[in-house]
Each structure stands twice: as C-alpha cells, then as structure tokens.
Amino acid sequence: MCGIVGHIGSDISSDVVLEGLKRLEYRGYDSAGISFLSNKNGLQLYKKTGKLENLLEVLKDVETTSNLCIGHTRWATHGGVTDQNSHPHRHGNISIVHNGIIENADELKSEVVDKDFEFKSETDSEVFLALVSKYNSQSSSFKEAVAEAFKHVKGNSAFVAMNAETKEIVAIKRSAPLACGLNPKNNDKFVSSDPYALVGYASEIYFPDDEVLCHLSHDEKIIKFYDLNLKESEKFQHQKADTSSSSTDKGEFEHYMLKEIYEQPKLIQELVQDYIHGKAARHLAKVKSKEIDRFLINACGTAYYAGLLVVDYLELINKIQASAYLSSEFRYRNPLFQKNDAALFISQSGETADTLAAAELVKENNIPIYSLVNVRGSTLYRLCDQNLLIKAGTEIGVASTKAFTQMALTGRLMAASLGGELDDESKKKNLEKKFLLLSERINDLISGVEKIKEIAESLYNKKGYLFTGRGIYYPVALEGALKLKEIAYVHAEGYASGELKHGPIALIDEEMVNIAVAGPELLEKTISNIQEVKARKGIIVTIGPENNKELMKISDYYIPLNFNGLDELSPIYVNVVHQLLSYYMAKFKGNDIDQPRNLAKSVTVE
Ligand code: F6R
C-alpha cells in the first residue's frame, strides 16, 4: 500500500527518493513526505497531504541536496489524512517511515514507550519511532535500537529508520514488501517497498526475509543483513535488477488506464510468442509434471474474477475439479485439503497480504503452490513452487485492466498444457489462432470506441448499474461492475443473469441500467432475462452478437461483437467493452481515473 523509498550514498538522495515516490504514488496517494540530511541545513522534514505534486510544490524553493534521505507515500490506516499523520515521523535525529499496521500500538504506547515522548500524530507508526528513540539512548548501535523496537511490535509491517547523527539507514519487515538495492559502481544503496522504484539506479536487488535487519551506511561497500540478535544473516535473496520493465510513461494517452487497455492486443501476441513458441513453455510443463486431482484457486478483487474464469477453463478443458476462493475468506475458514490437491494463487502485484497469507497456509499443508503473477521477484513469486508470469508489463492504473486479461489467458495456457493441447501440433495451432483472433478483435473494438463513448455519455448519471452474464460470462459481469464502482463511484453490481429474479430485479426502474452480456452460449435464456428487465422499464445495454435483430430490438443500446471463433476466450473480449465503458463513464464524471479515491494498487495490509 504505502510507498517507501530510502537512499544513502552520493549527493542524489532527495532526487532519487522523490523519483521513487513518483513511481510508487499509485500504491498510496493520501499524502507524501521526505526526511533528508541537507548538506547545508542539517536534518529536514517536509510532508504534505494530497498527491506528491503538493509536496513537490512545497519543496520548490528548498535546497534539497543530500546524501541521506527517506520518503513515503501514504495510504491512511491509523489516523486521518492530515499533514501531521503523514510520514516520515521525526524525533531528534531519527526519522522513520512505515507500511503496515502495528496491532498492539495502544498497548505499547501505555506500557513501553517513554512517558515523556511527545506524540505529534495519531498514527500507530509513531509508536515505532518512540520505541526506536527509547532504545537508541540505551543501545550501543542504531541497528540494535531498531531490532529492540521491532521485537515489540505485532502485525505485518515494513519499517525504514534513518539516523541523521550516525548517518545510517536500517530497514526491517514482517510479511510486508521490502527490497534493498545496490549500485556497486558508486556505492549508492537503496531501500524500497517495491524494486520498481529502483529501476535505473540499482543493479543488484536484495529481498530480505522476515525479521532480517538491512543495514545501509556510507562506510560499508555492501548492504549488510543481520538477525534480531545482530548476528550477520544470509536470509535474503539476491537477484540482478530487472531492466526489462516496460515503458512507464503515458505516451499519447490521457490516462494510464486507457494506455493499458490499448496495450492488450500486443500483450496477447507476446503471450503467444513466450508460452507457445518461446522459453516460457517449460514453466507450463513443470505444472504438468504433477498429478493433480483438484485445484484450489486463491486471489482478491479483479484477480479473483480472473480466477473464476480459470476455474471454468480447468473444468471445461481438463475436467479437473477447481474452485476459486477469496483469499481474505480462505485464510480463516479452516480449508480441507486432499491428496493430489494443487493450489494456484493469482496476483498482479504478488504482494497482496491476504493472498500471501493464504499461500503460506497452503504451503504449511504441503500442497504444491503455483502462481499466475505479474511481478517477477515479488513475495508471491518467491513463495511459490512454480510461477507462470502473466507478462502484463508494469500496470500503473490502480484499476486493473490488462492484468485481468493476461491472468485469464495464462490460466488458459496452463489448462492447455495440462490437457496436452500444446503437445499436439494441430491443437496448438488452433489455440494460437484463437489467441491471435482475440488480439485482432480487441484491436477492432478499440478502433470503434466512439460508440462506447457515446453510450457512456448518455448513461453516466443514472441511478445504478447491474452487469449480468451467464456461464463463462458471469465472471466478467462481476469484473465489469467492480471496474465501474472503482473509478466512476457509482453503485454497480454483477449478477448471474438467472439470479436477477431472485432479488435484484426489485431494483429495476427507468433509472436503472442493465449491462447485459449476451454471448452465444445460452443465448435464448439470456434474451428471456433481458425481456424481464425490459418489462420493468429498465435501461438495457446489450453486448451481443452482430446482427441479432431480436436483441437489437429489445435493447436501448446495442454493442455488437463478433464472437465467431473465440469460444471460451470471448469473455475476455467482452470485458474490454466493460473496461472502456467504465473508463468513459468515469471520464464524463470528471473523476481521477488513474488514482481513484480511497484505493491503492497493492493491498499489503489485511
Ligand atoms: C481492481 C484491483 C484489485 C486487485 C486486488 C488484487 O481493479 O486492482 O481488486 O485486483 O487488490 O491485487 P493483486 O492482483 O495485486 O493481488
């Protein structure tokens, strides 16, 4: 959730940290702040509510040259969105930033923290600062003080503490993302909640295990790692920095979300190249080598809806029993495991707290764990036995679009591998053809976007929106509603078409919109459901086959799609209509599309 960046080394600290925060702003944008040791003016602290640009405005005339700096973008948990509650928090020479929740903050405040510590904020994070300050006066080193403080806190968190007197940074985490970076050429050292912030700065990336202290100082040529008893530790993973991150500027697009929607046709083609013709095929084969009777799929939000499609693929193509679970529920429901179970975790970020907790739970039960994940090197990636990268490139828009498509399609490729489709030349060719057809159709859809835009303009101010779909279109009805809620801030719900008359039909009146998916599968039944809404004066937007006169007649708005040849991939095609409708409705409402209110890209707290 919150973005963390720190740097020690050459005189570029504030610039690096501000650039890193810019890259991580999509993880939280309630407020931003930096604390740096100015070359001229000693330790400085600047923080401001709102987007990073507010902080940059404050810093406009400030001399920021420094070789020691930490910064933060916040997604508020404890304490409102105020300047005081923004991070970093500072006491004397010590500043800290925090991502996560200290579950026992109140207890620590009344029982452990020095009574005369003057709290300036309502945050749980400042309790950690109070502890570090207390132990710093009693310890022989700053890292000892941070270790002592960390031993007291409960809950999942990452902390970065900076000491301007001793000129060092110490970072530590428990079940929260944290990475360190090193540029051996100039001895620059970095820390961040996401290695993406360090692209172009650090060539070596280190992922510490939980409860491992990371020590960054001017004196050492390397980053040092210690356990909580201050013994040097090797509990970290090292990898070369990923330089392949796709371009992350908006280019000609007004929003990242639109850019990411438009990227989909090309990404689908690349997926074919990598998994059908390229090196990635061997990862698919590794999943195949296990005997699997049942798949337990776990994910949150959009990734969960992609998981529902993967369930359909596994059952349809492989006749393997599969169920999808919301990780936030799964982790607390005492799941029953069986011999030959396998678990599949789906995540764009690979850092979603609930998904990770569910993965750990499954791992403890000795079930093989696989992932469909976008971020190589993420916590989920490192946890799983086998990873299938969805290859969506960096997704910056907070509302997920291209990741959904790539998750569902990588799931389809996994099903193909499990079912032997990729071992049979003609079946493989057919599948490739279908993927390329999907890419082409999405391209055509995007070229005809004006029509969707016009519909969005007529409908963005209605009372509510019901997305409906049957069978394989049900997951995209759910995803369509989620997308619209997230960015247009309107009430929207996804329903299985056949379920409308079991309750939600009571909502239908002339101000209620039904966005109905009428794919070729179960078409007659879907038409009957649309008729039922029409009879109650609901506004009907149908996404249906080209030239279906009956559907055109009963619909107020008709979006014709060429479903031919797409078969089980057609929900992904339909979903692009949902993405575009949501995008334009949000745009007509004047909302902040890439950074919608209250949301953050990577949900690293429960
Ligand atoms: C919706 C959205 C969220 C994420 C969910 C899981 O547009 O982005 O619902 O899908 O928070 O995130 P990941 O995929 O990173 O695990």
Side-chain angles (χ1 to χ4, degrees):
M1 296 197 110
C2 307
I4 290 177
V5 191
H7 171 264
I8 182 165
S10 54
D11 279 346
I12 56 169
S13 290
S14 315
D15 293 342
V16 169
V17 169
L18 288 169
E19 170 60 26
L21 293 183
K22 194 165 134 205
R23 296 185 196 175
L24 299 191
E25 198 183 11
Y26 68 113
R27 297 176 74 110
Y29 31 84
D30 290 341
S31 59
I34 58 169
S35 177
F36 59 96
L37 180 60
S38 158
N39 285 4
K40 288 200 177 135
N41 305 314
L43 183 59
Q44 304 289 308
L45 174 68
Y46 290 90
K47 44 195 197 172
K48 194 81 200 130
T49 52
K51 300 264 180 98
L52 184 64
E53 63 195 24
N54 296 358
L55 175 69
L56 296 178
E57 183 59 33
V58 173
L59 290 171
K60 218 170 51 192
D61 301 319
V62 175
E63 167 53 53
T64 56
T65 309
S66 156
N67 58 22
L68 179 65
C69 178
I70 58 173
H72 188 268
T73 59
R74 180 170 187 242
W75 188 86
T77 53
H78 282 58
V81 179
T82 64
D83 286 349
Q84 281 307 338
N85 289 340
S86 312
H87 298 216
H89 299 284
R90 176 189 168 184
H91 182 75
N93 282 313
I94 300 170
S95 308
I96 66 113
V97 291
H98 171 217
N99 171 24
I101 293 173
I102 302 177
E103 289 172 359
N104 56 339
D106 289 343
E107 198 182 308
L108 291 171
K109 216 167 172 172
S110 58
E111 289 171 20
V112 188
V113 166
D114 280 342
K115 293 286 168 270
D116 57 355
F117 186 89
E118 205 183 308
F119 281 91
K120 299 189 189 93
S121 78
E122 307 149 355
T123 63
D124 55 342
S125 316
E126 207 182 358
V127 172
F128 189 73
L129 174 66
L131 291 174
V132 175
S133 303
K134 168 176 169 163
Y135 293 116
N136 196 45
S137 58
Q138 302 168 8
S139 308
S140 57
S141 70
F142 185 53
K143 54 181 186 290
E144 187 184 332
V146 176
E148 277 312 307
F150 188 74
K151 283 178 196 166
H152 284 81
V153 297
K154 290 190 184 146
N156 299 341
S157 289
F159 298 99
V160 177
M162 176 178 106
N163 189 331
E165 189 188 5
T166 55
K167 300 191 181 60
E168 56 194 323
I169 290 176
V170 178
I172 189 161
K173 63 112 181 176
R174 185 184 302 118
S175 296
L178 189 69
C180 297
L182 176 70
N183 181 352
K185 287 194 190 134
N186 57 10
N187 210 9
D188 275 335
K189 302 178 192 78
F190 311 82
V191 62
S192 178
S193 47
D194 185 338
Y196 169 55
L198 311 183
V199 172
Y201 295 115
S203 56
E204 314 297 316
I205 300 290
Y206 303 87
F207 295 102
D209 283 7
D210 279 354
E211 310 202 340
V212 169
L213 284 170
C214 318
H215 185 242
L216 290 70
S217 71
H218 285 295
D219 307 337
E220 301 281 355
K221 286 215 164 345
I222 54 171
I223 296 169
K224 289 202 146 180
F225 299 93
Y226 299 89
D227 68 18
L228 287 177
N229 297 318
L230 304 186
K231 294 230 161 48
E232 274 201 48
S233 169
E234 297 204 336
K235 290 194 167 172
F236 60 86
Q237 288 183 30
H238 170 228
Q239 70 183 39
K240 290 278 168 201
D242 193 351
T243 48
S244 65
S245 290
S246 58
S247 152
T248 49
D249 64 59
K250 280 188 286 205
E252 71 205 68
F253 295 94
E254 192 180 345
H255 297 102
Y256 280 107
M257 181 179 176
L258 194 63
K259 174 182 178 242
E260 288 161 5
I261 293 172
Y262 275 56
E263 275 170 12
Q264 293 174 110
K266 187 162 166 278
L267 289 170
I268 297 171
Q269 292 171 17
E270 287 170 6
L271 207 60
V272 167
Q273 279 311 317
D274 287 345
Y275 278 105
I276 300 191
H277 301 295
K279 283 191 191 144
R282 71 194 150 95
H283 298 294
L284 290 172
K286 283 191 186 148
V287 179
K288 196 177 159 188
S289 63
K290 292 263 184 230
E291 198 177 318
I292 300 169
D293 291 338
R294 189 173 73 141
F295 264 103
L296 305 169
I297 298 180
N298 250 283
C300 298
T302 289
Y304 168 73
Y305 297 141
L308 291 178
L309 260 184
V310 179
V311 166
D312 287 341
Y313 293 154
L314 289 167
E315 295 196 341
L316 187 81
I317 290 147
N318 310 100
K319 312 288 175 231
I320 295 181
Q321 198 194 333
S323 317
Y325 299 93
L326 291 164
S327 302
S328 52
E329 290 294 314
F330 183 86
R331 58 185 291 193
Y332 294 115
R333 66 191 293 273
N334 301 315
L336 301 175
F337 299 108
Q338 294 166 14
K339 188 168 165 270
N340 295 343
D341 273 352
L344 179 69
F345 294 87
I346 308 181
S347 176
Q348 189 285 124
S349 60
E351 300 294 352
T352 301
D354 286 316
T355 310
L356 292 175
E360 268 155 19
L361 171 74
V362 173
K363 200 171 177 144
E364 279 160 22
N365 283 276
N366 298 318
I367 307 289
I369 57 172
Y370 307 118
S371 82
L372 302 178
V373 65
N374 197 31
V375 180
R376 190 172 74 94
S378 59
T379 309
L380 184 67
Y381 181 95
R382 285 176 283 127
L383 196 66
C384 284
D385 300 313
Q386 191 60 48
N387 297 289
L388 299 174
L389 287 169
I390 64 165
K391 298 174 185 268
T394 310
E395 192 179 60
I396 306 273
V398 166
S400 186
T401 52
K402 59 179 180 171
F404 173 90
T405 296
Q406 299 295 100
M407 285 166 181
L409 289 175
T410 312
R412 176 64 185 89
L413 288 165
M414 188 182 89
S417 169
L418 286 168
E421 252 175 298
L422 299 182
D423 304 326
D424 174 315
E425 270 316 305
S426 93
K427 285 186 183 162
K428 189 161 124 177
K429 272 215 159 63
N430 275 340
L431 188 69
E432 176 176 0
K433 207 168 125 198
K434 220 186 271 191
F435 269 60
L436 297 180
L437 200 60
L438 175 68
S439 159
E440 204 181 297
R441 296 274 164 81
I442 296 176
N443 239 334
D444 294 346
L445 178 65
I446 287 171
S447 327
V449 73
E450 279 309 311
K451 177 161 188 179
I452 297 178
K453 201 167 158 181
E454 279 164 25
I455 298 176
E457 190 169 14
S458 338
L459 294 179
Y460 73 93
N461 262 333
K462 298 294 172 196
K463 185 180 79 179
Y465 305 82
L466 289 180
F467 286 73
T468 52
R470 269 182 182 270
I472 57 169
Y473 302 106
Y474 173 49
V476 293
L478 296 170
E479 169 59 10
L482 175 65
K483 213 71 343 168
L484 190 61
K485 272 187 272 218
E486 282 182 289
I487 58 170
Y489 315 148
V490 292
H491 184 237
E493 283 192 70
Y495 265 98
S497 313
E499 277 294 301
L500 271 195
K501 53 173 129 1
H502 296 288
I505 203 161
L507 292 168
I508 301 293
D509 62 19
E510 48 280 285
E511 277 299 298
M512 193 74 179
V513 181
N514 176 203
I515 297 161
V517 183
E521 206 186 284
L522 301 168
L523 186 58
E524 291 312 313
K525 290 188 193 302
T526 307
I527 293 177
S528 307
N529 298 136
I530 295 174
Q531 292 280 18
E532 289 157 11
V533 176
K534 175 95 185 154
R536 285 154 185 91
K537 301 197 170 57
I539 304 164
I540 316 273
V541 181
T542 306
I543 303 166
E546 291 173 318
N547 305 321
N548 187 311
K549 299 236 161 38
E550 186 185 358
L551 269 173
M552 285 180 189
K553 209 165 129 211
I554 58 172
S555 307
D556 298 290
Y557 302 89
Y558 197 73
I559 303 173
L561 294 186
N562 181 357
F563 287 89
N564 292 335
L566 290 178
D567 307 325
E568 75 284 356
L569 302 190
S570 59
I572 298 163
Y573 180 32
V574 167
N575 193 52
V576 180
V577 178
H578 290 164
Q579 293 171 350
L580 289 165
L581 266 176
S582 303
Y583 173 81
Y584 282 109
M585 286 209 220
K587 188 162 146 69
F588 285 117
K589 294 195 80 167
N591 292 353
D592 187 343
I593 292 180
D594 283 333
Q595 295 180 343
R597 69 183 182 203
N598 304 340
L599 299 181
K601 184 79 185 153
S602 178
V603 184
T604 55
V605 296
E606 255 195 81

